[in-house]
Amino acid sequence: MAAIPVPAGQHRQQTSTLSDADLVPLAKMGDESAIRTIVQRHNQRLFRTARAVIRNDWEAEDVVQAAYTKAFTNLAAFRGEAQLSTWLTRITLNEALGRVRARKNTTGLEEIDMQTTAPSGEVLQFPSSLSATDPETELSRSEARRLLENAVDELPDDFRAVFVLRDVEGMSTEEAASYLGIRPETAKTRLHRARKMMRRSIQKKLSGAFSALFPFDGARCAYMADRVIAALHDDTR
């Protein structure tokens, strides 16, 4: 009995509901829909991971593309001993770190000063991806996101990688340490110092804006004067 062909659109919809474990065998056979589903499912994490190391949007995209190409080319080597997301993230990290090493001499991940040890601080939450209710709200979120992204970019390379994996991607300390090839204690220390640097950076950038809080000028100020004058006239009647 001949198999009934499944329309491409319907097939894509079906693969989108499959788990990574079910998608991998299809991707190994070159199933385009399965490959697209895997890419779309993991794009954000891999981009953030690459961006944390590269600090450039366009190059981070190149890193992610190269990582996907390498992953799918060598998918037969994936045995499922780790989660697919873990495997893809490691490939992306290796690709990004390789590019950084190629363009400049960098200190090894274990050579950073480890003298400062302290408990981890509070997690700095990034703006959510919830849709804005109006243009003004969207503008405020964009400005807040830009402020946070600039602060992240200013972090030293090693601190930035830990911060993004831990606080942006929500990995555990042990997971982040495993990805970066460092001890969990090292990851905790770098994360603590990264958070302190972030707070200082944001406070410094915002300090000049406090004088502009709760403005009461322009038309509002003039209207208040009109109200006072009107009230005084009422009192003299």
Side-chain angles (χ1 to χ4, degrees):
M1 180 176 181
I4 301 176
V6 178
Q10 183 179 343
H11 182 53
R12 282 195 294 270
Q13 186 176 6
Q14 290 174 346
T15 56
S16 66
T17 63
L18 296 177
S19 66
D20 284 350
D22 292 328
L23 287 170
V24 168
L26 295 175
K28 286 181 177 180
M29 294 186 294
D31 188 296
E32 182 178 323
S33 181
I35 292 172
R36 287 181 179 274
T37 300
I38 290 172
V39 169
Q40 293 171 355
R41 185 173 293 175
H42 298 282
N43 266 339
Q44 179 162 285
R45 167 175 282 194
L46 300 192
F47 175 77
R48 284 175 168 174
T49 299
R51 182 64 174 74
V53 177
I54 297 296
R55 287 196 297 177
N56 178 279
D57 286 2
W58 300 112
E59 191 171 358
E61 288 187 23
D62 287 343
V63 167
V64 173
Q65 180 179 332
Y68 275 132
T69 301
K70 186 175 295 184
F72 287 119
T73 301
N74 297 279
L75 196 57
F78 178 69
R79 304 299 182 188
E81 296 171 354
Q83 291 187 357
L84 181 65
S85 60
T86 301
W87 190 65
L88 292 173
T89 303
R90 284 175 178 159
I91 293 174
T92 303
L93 264 176
N94 288 336
E95 179 70 23
L97 291 170
R99 294 194 182 202
V100 170
R101 295 189 190 103
R103 70 188 182 197
K104 67 177 182 179
N105 293 324
T106 58
T107 57
L109 285 173
E110 289 291 355
E111 294 176 13
I112 195 110
D113 177 19
M114 298 304 300
Q115 293 181 356
T116 303
T117 57
S120 59
E122 297 179 355
V123 173
L124 180 60
Q125 297 293 336
F126 270 47
S128 71
S129 58
L130 297 177
S131 58
T133 55
D134 55 67
E136 184 176 353
T137 302
E138 179 60 31
L139 178 61
S140 297
R141 286 178 175 169
S142 296
E143 291 174 347
R145 185 177 63 249
R146 191 177 305 112
L147 176 67
L148 288 170
E149 288 176 347
N150 290 339
V152 172
D153 279 346
E154 292 172 0
L155 292 173
D157 292 347
D158 296 330
F159 295 166
R160 189 173 60 256
V162 172
F163 180 84
V164 170
L165 292 179
R166 180 69 175 82
D167 280 357
V168 181
E169 278 303 306
M171 293 185 186
S172 68
T173 301
E174 289 72 20
E175 284 180 303
S178 175
Y179 282 129
L180 296 170
I182 58 178
R183 299 187 304 272
E185 295 77 13
T186 303
K188 288 180 181 178
T189 300
R190 291 182 190 175
L191 178 62
H192 171 72
R193 296 178 68 181
R195 287 170 175 169
K196 285 185 64 176
M197 291 178 184
M198 285 283 292
R199 283 194 292 271
R200 289 174 183 171
S201 176
I202 292 172
Q203 288 170 354
K204 183 178 180 180
K205 287 180 172 64
L206 291 178
S207 61
F210 289 140
S211 61
L213 291 176
F214 310 116
F216 199 90
D217 52 11
R220 292 179 69 196
C221 183
Y223 179 57
M224 176 58 72
D226 292 340
R227 289 173 59 188
V228 171
I229 296 298
L232 291 174
H233 283 315
D234 290 340
D235 288 342
T236 59
R237 288 175 184 172

